[in-house]
Amino acid sequence: MKRIIIIGAGASGLFCAIKCKELIHNVDVIVLEANKQPLKKLLATGNGRCNLSNKSLSFDQYNGEITKSIQDIISQFDDQKEFLAEGLLTKWMGNLLYPASEQAKSVAEVLLDRAHYLGLSILTEQTVISVKPNSQGYKVICEHANYEADFVIMAMGSQAGLLSTENNRQKIIGDLLPMVPFKESLTQMYTSPVLKSLKGVRVKADVQLMDGDELLSCEKGELLFTDYGVSGICVMQLSRFYKPGCHLEIDMMPTFTEEELAAIVNASPLTHPLTGLVNTKIEQYLSKNKDPLKTLKNLKLSVTGLRDYKTSQVMQGGVVVRALTENLESKRHAGLFVIGELLNVTGNCGGYNLHFAFASAKHVACAIEGIINA
Ligand SMILES: Cc1cc2nc3c(=O)[nH]c(=O)nc-3n(C[C@H](O)[C@H](O)[C@H](O)COP(=O)(O)OP(=O)(O)OC[C@H]3O[C@@H](n4cnc5c(N)ncnc54)[C@H](O)[C@@H]3O)c2cc1C
């Protein structure tokens, strides 16, 4: 009987294991997980609700190496159909796909229930230290045990979110596969000045990330002032384009032009007209400002850095896609596959990363089925 070892029981690893068991008869699938429990990161996704995918799966929502085969993997996977087949009902909330229960916990429970039913071995507190190709296939070496395998699937994700006890990915990959070094993405920004008086204030803003006069990227959405700088979905999206020395230009009232606001202020019967227009903390901040309306429409903050991996949702970088076949199998080492966030494919906020984790997992399970049944 052929044996498949999957390293990592996160979203991609566990889904891939389930698909391997469903698709391939008479196969031994073992999942090795460093944490005490599987799916720890999945439970934290979407603020505990698990944003599984997005209606608009356009490729510009991803960065890294979005090759033709990665595009096919992204566009061919139908999350709703796949999850329904596993017993999980999903629903759209705007463009975002969530479990019908709106609980990440139910996604985890469904996957674990399926894994149990299919007789998968999920071995927790099994930190893989290295993977060595040999004449039979691979030797997977853990701290306290070794395993022989015909196929190895690396699904170790990234250190983003500090939800994995292990961070030895680069060491395991070693010289088996080339890797683009990981760097933080989808994270908050440190700013100068830090507007501490606005801490906790949320504004629906138009935000531009600028490098001098050059626009790096722009986003619309909720921005949150914090005691270190700024946060919020739009800030996290912009963090992908961070360059040292860049700055933010924030329009805190995008639905009005400066002229329209001036007309509203001039016609106001109030002593402090901005009180009737904006959050009281913003009003207090602007009242000390020489040109409050200009600042309201174009608040400039230097970005002094990004917060680290502990607060990032994903890491950019990972295993070089071009070192793999279109089946995500190493070109140099037959039988060695890579899936999920460990690949140099990173999505935006909005379900893109989980979509890719599940889609790449199914793709590899189908590829291995093809090899075994050839
Ligand atoms: C707070 C937060 C919220 C997020 N929300 C969303 C969201 O709503 N929607 C979305 O699309 N994406 C979201 N993401 C991103 C998404 O969770 C990840 O991209 C996705 O989980 C990646 O899945 P993965 O299986 O590739 O990796 P992971 O989920 O990181 O799983 C990898 C597993 O491998 C294990 N492992 C690592 N090294 C070893 C080793 N040496 N030996 C054994 N096991 C090892 C880890 O412990 C881990 O369990 C969020 C991320 C965070 C941090």
Side-chain angles (χ1 to χ4, degrees):
M1 192 195 296
K2 297 284 184 199
R3 177 183 278 176
I4 302 171
I5 290 206
I6 300 179
I7 311 174
S12 65
L14 199 58
F15 195 67
C16 188
I18 290 168
K19 286 288 149 194
C20 285
K21 270 289 200 188
E22 285 175 354
L23 293 167
I24 311 164
H25 296 295
N26 219 8
V27 69
D28 181 22
V29 183
I30 300 176
V31 190
L32 301 173
E33 169 55 50
N35 283 343
K36 280 192 180 149
Q37 64 178 101
L39 298 175
K40 209 170 156 198
K41 193 179 283 183
L42 185 98
L43 289 170
T45 57
N47 284 325
R49 295 194 304 174
C50 191
N51 176 195
L52 292 161
S53 186
N54 198 296
K55 225 176 233 176
S56 142
L57 284 171
S58 66
F59 306 128
D60 59 7
Q61 297 292 335
Y62 287 92
N63 57 5
E65 292 164 82
I66 315 305
T67 58
K68 172 73 174 65
S69 46
I70 294 291
Q71 293 183 8
D72 290 344
I73 291 171
I74 290 169
S75 54
Q76 282 162 13
F77 186 77
D78 181 341
D79 303 74
Q80 279 207 291
K81 200 172 120 208
E82 291 289 344
F83 282 111
L84 193 58
E86 302 303 340
L88 181 80
L89 191 65
T90 54
K91 66 175 178 193
W92 292 106
M93 290 165 72
N95 269 356
L96 310 180
L97 188 71
Y98 286 95
S101 65
E102 290 181 44
Q103 276 187 306
K105 196 163 177 261
S106 50
V107 181
E109 281 179 4
V110 164
L111 294 178
L112 290 170
D113 186 308
R114 288 295 295 149
H116 181 70
Y117 173 81
L118 293 162
L120 276 171
S121 309
I122 305 171
L123 308 180
T124 53
E125 296 185 273
Q126 286 286 320
T127 299
V128 174
I129 299 167
S130 72
V131 175
K132 304 242 178 279
N134 59 28
S135 52
Q136 274 85 49
Y138 292 90
K139 184 177 204 169
V140 179
I141 301 165
C142 294
E143 272 165 352
H144 308 294
N146 297 337
Y147 302 86
E148 299 293 336
D150 300 284
F151 301 93
V152 170
I153 304 170
M154 291 188 172
M156 289 101 78
S158 78
Q159 66 270 46
L162 199 68
L163 292 153
S164 166
T165 48
E166 242 345 283
N167 189 11
N168 63 355
R169 296 165 182 86
Q170 179 77 67
K171 226 165 141 194
I172 299 172
I173 290 162
D175 38 66
L176 289 172
L177 290 160
M179 225 181 136
V180 177
F182 276 131
K183 68 171 189 186
E184 288 77 10
S185 188
L186 302 187
T187 191
Q188 301 95 339
M189 296 177 182
Y190 291 109
T191 63
S192 173
V194 178
L195 302 183
K196 287 200 176 160
S197 64
L198 298 187
K199 185 183 163 191
V201 174
R202 291 172 192 273
V203 282
K204 293 266 189 307
D206 278 6
V207 190
Q208 298 187 318
L209 185 70
M210 308 289 296
D211 185 17
D213 289 337
E214 188 201 338
L215 176 70
L216 296 173
S217 187
C218 57
E219 286 286 338
K220 289 179 193 298
E222 193 170 83
L223 177 141
L224 170 69
F225 292 98
T226 68
D227 54 4
Y228 54 81
V230 286
S231 178
I233 299 279
C234 62
V235 169
M236 293 172 82
Q237 310 277 43
L238 289 174
S239 68
R240 297 196 298 154
F241 304 94
Y242 166 81
K243 272 188 184 171
C246 64
H247 72 274
L248 292 169
E249 296 190 3
I250 305 165
D251 181 348
M252 296 191 275
M253 209 123 199
T255 44
F256 295 97
T257 64
E258 203 177 318
E259 293 68 36
E260 286 168 337
L261 284 173
I264 295 169
V265 165
N266 290 336
S268 170
L270 300 174
T271 333
H272 300 291
L274 288 176
T275 313
L277 295 182
V278 293
N279 178 292
T280 49
K281 281 190 181 175
I282 296 182
E283 191 271 325
Q284 280 158 24
Y285 169 73
L286 292 175
S287 65
K288 294 174 202 133
N289 219 274
K290 263 206 294 217
D291 196 343
L293 289 187
K294 206 169 211 71
T295 309
L296 184 62
K297 288 295 292 172
N298 190 1
L299 172 68
K300 289 194 172 79
L301 297 175
S302 299
V303 183
T304 52
L306 298 182
R307 294 194 89 201
D308 71 8
Y309 67 91
K310 297 180 204 125
T311 60
S312 298
Q313 285 206 359
V314 285
M315 303 295 279
Q316 288 187 49
V319 169
V320 171
V321 172
R322 285 181 177 81
L324 308 174
T325 67
E326 57 188 33
N327 282 339
L328 304 181
E329 181 177 18
S330 164
K331 287 179 182 168
R332 273 181 54 208
H333 302 285
L336 176 64
F337 294 80
V338 186
I339 56 174
E341 201 185 314
L342 185 62
L343 282 165
N344 184 21
V345 175
T346 316
N348 249 333
C349 290
Y352 296 101
N353 288 298
L354 282 176
H355 175 84
F356 183 68
F358 293 122
S360 57
K362 164 126 194 242
H363 185 77
V364 162
C366 293
I368 296 179
E369 186 228 6
I371 297 168
I372 291 180
N373 293 335

